Amino acid sequence: MGIISSPTGKFEPDRGITREEAAVMVTKAARLSTYGSPDRVKFADTSSLSEASRQAIQAVNEHEVMTGSGGRFDPKQILVREQAAAILVRLQKLIPEAFY
């Protein structure tokens, strides 16, 4: 389905995913769009990321699926279970038909 990609080209089910990778996967899976260019991303720590990653972070942030803290998104931080659960709850509210 093109939702998951790995920097090594392998699936790696035992490796933790970063917040950046999660944003990209959520954006692809939920088909989230952005409201403008990725230059509108307000996080101080995303400027060095690829345009695709910045667009995904912008989309999940604009749709309030993933947020940052203190002006940072922490894209390289490993996503923890609590964050994954919060993402799923927010997605269910955004697109409830996808969960039934």
Side-chain angles (χ1 to χ4, degrees), residues 30 84-100:
I87 290 167
L88 291 174
V89 167
R90 292 173 187 150
L91 278 175
Q92 184 180 21
K93 290 178 183 176
L94 183 65
I95 49 172
E97 66 277 0
F99 287 83
Y100 300 103

Side-chain angles (χ1 to χ4, degrees), residues 4-53:
I4 298 173
S5 62
S6 168
T8 64
K10 298 179 182 177
F11 182 60
E12 301 179 297
D14 296 325
R15 179 180 68 83
I17 63 169
T18 65
R19 289 174 47 81
E20 175 185 3
E21 292 169 326
V24 171
M25 286 188 268
V26 167
T27 300
K28 288 178 179 179
R31 296 184 178 120
L32 299 178
S33 59
T34 61
Y35 299 119
S37 77
D39 298 327
R40 294 182 57 226
V41 175
K42 61 183 177 181
F43 301 112
D45 57 353
T46 59
S47 62
S48 65
L49 302 177
S50 70
E51 183 174 344
S53 290

Side-chain angles (χ1 to χ4, degrees), residues 26-86:
V26 167
T27 300
K28 288 178 179 179
R31 296 184 178 120
L32 299 178
S33 59
T34 61
Y35 299 119
S37 77
D39 298 327
R40 294 182 57 226
V41 175
K42 61 183 177 181
F43 301 112
D45 57 353
T46 59
S47 62
S48 65
L49 302 177
S50 70
E51 183 174 344
S53 290
R54 290 192 330 266
Q55 284 180 327
I57 291 168
Q58 177 184 353
V60 294
N61 185 252
E62 288 177 344
H63 290 280
E64 300 179 351
V65 175
M66 293 177 75
T67 60
S69 178
R72 300 178 55 83
F73 187 77
D74 294 319
K76 301 302 180 188
Q77 180 184 40
I78 298 297
L79 189 76
V80 296
R81 288 183 185 114
E82 293 86 355
Q83 292 170 328

